[in-house]
Amino acid sequence: KAGVTQTPRYLIKTRGQQVTLSCSPISGHRSVSWYQQTPGQGLQFLFEYFSETQRNKGNFPGRFSGRQFSNSRSEMNVSTLELGDSALYLCASSLDPSNTEAFFGQGTRLTVV
Amino acid sequence: GQSLEQPSEVTAVEGAIVQINCTYQTSGFYGLSWYQQHDGGAPTFLSYNGLDGLEETGRFSSFLSRSDSYGYLLLQELQMKDSASYFCAVRDGGGGFKTIFGAGTRLFVKA
């Protein structure tokens, strides 16, 4: 079956703009998490969604938001982009929150200029 | 809050055994996972420990001691293709589930 799909794969935006990233989880998976990855910082937790509800949120400013749709697809939005938002944004899906194995997409590489 | 500590880099030779340690601090520990990530690739799941002890999956094993807030990943019969970054990750069930990752250990396998 298809894996986790993230679109777009690459994105270049200008400071001050906003961006929306999309994640389609593996079929049947209802839990979706988002991470920001920058060199040397590992994966920083952004948020986790299950059944269209945000279950948890990391320590990121309010400019970072997300949502999950009834088909489990998820989007995250970053408004008023800053240079420091340049990163690889990864989405991971799992069957449900208690499931311990997460499957990652290839990520969206966002560059803010 | 939550925090994880793991070495930033480890170097080993092909055929050898290497151990990557991870210590963690969290309020609602649910389990410890390990992920592998090659350059330019997505992290892939390697193993999970919810209870104390050793879990073995082929050349990879993972250990957990909840009383010591400590775990490790053991890679045996190292191959060049094992050169990658390895992340330990804590599944935290306090205040709603979330998975917190360490900063990663870069493994270099030399011939």
Side-chain angles (χ1 to χ4, degrees):
Chain A
K1 56 185 173 183
V4 178
T5 303
Q6 291 189 245
T7 56
R9 288 292 312 278
Y10 301 92
L11 206 48
I12 299 176
K13 289 286 189 178
T14 304
R15 242 181 335 176
Q17 288 186 311
Q18 74 162 19
V19 66
T20 299
L21 312 181
S22 179
C23 172
S24 293
I26 291 172
S27 178
H29 284 196
R30 298 166 60 200
S31 185
V32 173
S33 299
W34 288 89
Y35 295 87
Q36 181 195 66
Q37 186 174 31
T38 53
Q41 292 295 313
L43 284 76
Q44 301 295 311
F45 173 75
L46 280 157
F47 7 73
E48 179 163 328
Y49 288 90
F50 176 68
S51 293
E52 302 177 65
T53 301
Q54 186 179 91
R55 298 299 171 125
N56 224 320
K57 184 170 165 45
N59 296 324
F60 279 82
R63 301 185 295 108
F64 291 80
S65 63
R67 58 179 175 169
Q68 186 180 35
F69 301 95
S70 58
N71 61 358
S72 295
R73 189 177 71 86
S74 178
E75 289 181 347
M76 66 163 281
N77 184 278
V78 188
S79 62
T80 320
L81 283 166
E82 301 177 359
L83 296 179
D85 297 333
S86 295
L88 180 67
Y89 290 87
L90 290 161
C91 162
S93 79
S94 56
L95 283 168
D96 57 60
S98 65
N99 194 264
T100 53
E101 180 175 358
F103 296 82
F104 281 83
Q106 291 297 313
T108 294
R109 173 75 62 186
L110 172 65
T111 301
V112 182
V113 297
Chain B
Q2 300 88 12
S3 67
L4 294 94
E5 296 283 336
Q6 56 181 125
S8 58
E9 267 186 31
V10 173
T11 301
V13 297
E14 211 172 4
I17 299 173
V18 72
Q19 178 174 314
I20 300 174
N21 298 320
C22 174
T23 57
Y24 61 85
Q25 186 174 16
T26 183
S27 55
F29 181 82
Y30 192 79
L32 184 71
S33 300
W34 290 90
Y35 287 80
Q36 178 193 61
Q37 185 180 31
H38 287 98
D39 285 346
T44 56
F45 175 84
L46 291 176
S47 69
Y48 169 78
N49 294 74
L51 300 174
D52 291 352
L54 192 68
E55 294 285 339
E56 297 180 77
T57 310
R59 295 187 297 114
F60 295 178
S61 304
S62 59
F63 172 82
L64 174 66
S65 169
R66 288 174 297 171
S67 60
D68 296 322
S69 298
Y70 164 77
Y72 65 72
L73 179 70
L74 193 72
L75 297 84
Q76 303 181 71
E77 300 171 18
L78 280 174
Q79 302 174 10
M80 299 296 287
K81 67 178 182 179
D82 297 329
S83 292
S85 292
Y86 292 84
F87 295 90
C88 60
V90 165
R91 187 66 173 159
D92 188 320
F97 283 104
K98 60 184 173 185
T99 299
I100 305 300
F101 283 75
T105 298
R106 182 80 181 202
L107 172 64
F108 297 94
V109 180
K110 302 189 300 184

